[in-house]
Amino acid sequence: KAGVTQTPRYLIKTRGQQVTLSCSPISGHRSVSWYQQTPGQGLQFLFEYFSETQRNKGNFPGRFSGRQFSNSRSEMNVSTLELGDSALYLCASRPDRIPYEQYFGPGTRLTVT
Amino acid sequence: AQTVTQSQPEMSVQEAETVTLSCTYDTSESDYYLFWYKQPPSRQMILVIRQEAYKQQNATENRFSVNFQKAAKSFSLKISDSQLGDAAMYFCAYRSRSGSARQLTFGSGTQLTVLP
């Protein structure tokens, strides 16, 4: 099975712009979670989607949003980018009924200038 | 809310030697999972080992083993016969087994260097 894929791998944006990141989970996985990793704040949970429904959301401003499609692919969007949004964004998927198996993608490195 | 603390930002070990990474956590729950993840320079997060809180027996995966002390809320990782490929950032993580909040809560990480 192919692993979790994320596109693009690297992205440079300007402050004030918006960005969309994509995540394709492992085939058959319906749960997708997003995490932000920064040197200062470490790894922080953004949100989790299951079957197109957001099940859980972390403590991030409304500029951060996401969605999941019927094929389980997920996108996250950040509007009005700030310098502090520069981070590695990690996506993870897991199989149904196996909560401890979480597979991470390689991440998208976002740089905001 | 749960918190995970890794008090060792950096550790080093000689190749073939043993090293122990420390992790403590705080929770009011009794049923949960604990994990150690490895993040090499490629940034791909890889699960090293998992422990279920209701199991008293410490988990072991080849050269990796944990010392799980539930009452002390301590969860350390021991790497035996360290190899150059073990060099990475190691994260301790917590996940509730019940309730609605089932995301991973990570510690700040320990950067492990393996010396040849």
Side-chain angles (χ1 to χ4, degrees):
Chain A
K1 272 186 179 178
V4 178
T5 58
Q6 293 187 245
T7 57
R9 293 292 310 278
Y10 302 91
L11 203 50
I12 300 175
K13 289 287 189 178
T14 303
R15 197 169 35 178
Q17 288 186 315
Q18 77 165 16
V19 67
T20 299
L21 311 182
S22 180
C23 170
S24 293
I26 291 172
S27 178
H29 291 190
R30 293 189 291 173
S31 172
V32 174
S33 298
W34 288 89
Y35 293 84
Q36 181 198 63
Q37 185 176 18
T38 60
Q41 299 298 316
L43 281 150
Q44 293 185 288
F45 170 74
L46 280 156
F47 25 65
E48 179 189 11
Y49 285 88
F50 181 82
S51 288
E52 302 179 66
T53 301
Q54 187 181 89
R55 294 214 301 195
N56 202 2
K57 189 178 191 306
N59 189 24
F60 278 82
R63 300 184 297 107
F64 291 81
S65 63
R67 61 178 176 170
Q68 187 178 33
F69 301 95
S70 58
N71 62 356
S72 294
R73 188 177 70 87
S74 177
E75 289 182 346
M76 66 162 282
N77 182 275
V78 188
S79 62
T80 320
L81 283 165
E82 300 178 359
L83 296 178
D85 297 333
S86 295
L88 180 69
Y89 290 88
L90 293 166
C91 166
S93 75
R94 66 172 178 83
D96 295 0
R97 301 185 189 89
I98 310 180
Y100 50 77
E101 278 193 14
Q102 197 144 23
Y103 299 87
F104 282 84
T108 293
R109 168 73 67 186
L110 172 65
T111 301
V112 182
T113 62
Chain B
Q2 295 79 25
T3 58
V4 178
T5 303
Q6 293 178 251
S7 59
Q8 306 154 313
E10 297 177 346
M11 292 279 286
S12 63
V13 62
Q14 209 73 34
E15 196 176 3
E17 296 295 308
T18 296
V19 64
T20 298
L21 308 184
S22 301
C23 172
T24 58
Y25 59 96
D26 190 25
T27 183
S28 58
E29 299 175 328
S30 59
D31 200 8
Y32 49 86
Y33 299 99
L34 293 165
F35 307 87
W36 279 97
Y37 281 89
K38 167 185 176 181
Q39 189 179 43
S42 68
R43 294 299 192 179
Q44 181 83 46
M45 196 75 80
I46 301 163
L47 177 63
V48 175
I49 199 164
R50 176 189 84 247
Q51 176 77 43
E52 289 153 87
Y54 69 87
K55 291 186 178 178
Q56 292 187 333
Q57 187 172 5
N58 289 324
T60 300
E61 288 287 342
N62 301 312
R63 298 182 294 107
F64 299 88
S65 61
V66 298
N67 184 2
F68 173 49
Q69 301 291 325
K70 190 172 184 179
K73 295 180 183 174
S74 170
F75 183 61
S76 61
L77 174 70
K78 185 171 83 171
I79 306 174
S80 304
D81 186 24
S82 296
Q83 300 175 359
L84 295 177
D86 295 334
M89 181 73 89
Y90 285 81
F91 291 96
C92 179
Y94 171 103
R95 187 187 188 279
S96 176
R97 189 179 170 132
S98 58
S100 60
R102 302 193 186 187
Q103 69 269 23
L104 290 167
T105 300
F106 289 92
S108 55
T110 297
Q111 181 68 51
L112 178 66
T113 301
V114 181
L115 305 169

